[in-house]
Amino acid sequence: MNSRTPLLCALMLAMTASVPVAAEFCSADTVPAATLLLPYFEVDLADSAGKTTLFSINNALSSAGLAKVTLWTDWAIPTLSFDVYLTGYDVQTINLRDIFNGILPVTADDARDPADTLSPQGALSQDVSLASCAGIFPYSTPTLPVLLQQHLRTSHTGERSPIYNRCVGALHAGPVVVRGYVTVDAAQRCSLDFPTDPNYFRDIASRENRFWGTVTYLDPANNSAQQESLVHIEACDPGDLTKPCPTGNGSYTFYGSLVGFDGSDDREPLASTFAASFLNGGAFDGGTRLTVWRDTKTDPGEVFGTDCSAAARPSWYPLGERSIRAFDEEENPTDICPVALPTSPPTFQRDCLPLATQVTPVGGEDLPVFDRFGWLELDLDLPAAGDEGAPEPSQAWVVVLHTAAGRFSTAADAIQLDSACSSASPSSGFPGGTP
């Protein structure tokens, strides 16, 4: 054996260790990304030992990075934004129960943390000073003001926010549970901005694909926990002349509704159609649930909450779907949504998954599947007005949670059957017309 071979291998590993794995834009794979999506969370505020959701932000690079974390309600309204500083190869794990108790994660750049007590620097890691973070980061144990804590709790339980003075989320029956979703964007500088703010994707968000992460759902009462990768959403760099961005004016991108569908966020959209297995018997006597995130395709500023009356909803509510169909293990199909109502002429009810994010039991009221085992085909494209013509592509994400009550549980992404990248514009349907 050549005596230099082990040394060459070690050098090659060292050279590649700091370079994130590249992937094809629009492939929706789990590689370092510019945006991470936690598609659904829930925290039981009535029980301090009850359900909660944790997630991690991992820096795939040796260079330091800045992450912008934003909480959104199930009406897709942002409620809180904060920065997380990570040294090279750093990881920050966040329990969302802490956030709703008013406690933010404590991190700091080198200028504010020279002794590395808040954000330690490893032997292979970079630690830098960020002038933009002066006065923005909480450098001691951070506690949100009581008013902001009330705002978070009421906004995410469907009650009137004392800051917005409106309702910005759905009101759910039962225990006091906060619900919503989270986005994490690579950032150029510290700020208090939301992704909905003007110039966010020009001045705040970065297009550097550096972050990866996981989400963990904990349900101690049922001895259940599921962990899954966050949704990794890559960005392309419009300044890279060797590999031009496929995005442009009229493109459907992940944050398309926030930028007028001009493609300026340069982030890949997600899929619209999914396949998901369900197990409602045998060892999995706890059944199957789906967590489903959906794009409202509406700028939150245009539908900023409601007056809190019982019938008040955002203009886009409920989100429809092209179809949801169940197959049993003998390939027999059953249409679940839309539901044909006994009217003359027939009308269709499209509200199986009406919110921007939700968790839905398979076999429950919203997804009435009567077989114990099988799979679902979910085409979550938004139906065109009047059920005529091709539907509008609408990105979504589906995670499948199987539970054996009190014993074990699993989580997995649903199978993606397409990509919203196939759409050239937010309202053009399929490329070249109706298929």
Side-chain angles (χ1 to χ4, degrees), residues 69-137:
V69 180
T70 305
L71 272 61
W72 307 73
T73 70
D74 54 10
W75 283 0
I77 304 293
T79 57
L80 179 69
S81 177
F82 59 90
D83 295 309
V84 174
Y85 172 78
L86 297 104
T87 59
Y89 302 128
D90 198 357
V91 58
Q92 182 72 43
T93 300
I94 299 172
N95 186 337
L96 281 164
R97 181 179 300 281
D98 292 339
I99 304 300
F100 284 92
N101 285 334
I103 302 172
L104 298 184
V106 180
T107 62
D109 63 335
D110 193 44
R112 260 76 35 190
D113 182 30
D116 290 339
T117 58
L118 301 179
S119 293
Q121 178 183 8
L124 303 177
S125 303
Q126 181 193 56
D127 192 5
V128 299
S129 298
L130 301 173
S132 64
C133 298
I136 292 182
F137 272 157

Side-chain angles (χ1 to χ4, degrees), residues 264-334:
S264 60
D265 64 303
D266 292 310
R267 280 153 168 79
E268 61 188 352
L270 302 176
S272 300
T273 308
F274 301 83
S277 64
F278 60 87
L279 306 169
N280 286 336
F284 288 95
D285 52 358
T288 297
R289 299 182 300 154
L290 303 182
T291 66
V292 183
W293 175 88
R294 305 190 64 187
D295 184 8
T296 67
K297 301 186 76 171
T298 305
D299 186 337
E302 298 174 8
V303 289
F304 192 72
T306 71
D307 60 6
C308 296
S309 62
R313 298 289 190 275
S315 62
W316 50 260
Y317 182 91
L319 293 174
E321 58 281 315
R322 194 178 189 186
S323 70
I324 298 178
R325 181 178 295 126
F327 290 84
D328 65 17
E329 292 187 306
E330 295 180 351
E331 297 80 57
N332 298 305
T334 301

Side-chain angles (χ1 to χ4, degrees), residues 339-348:
V339 177
L341 301 179
T343 60
S344 183
T347 56
F348 295 89

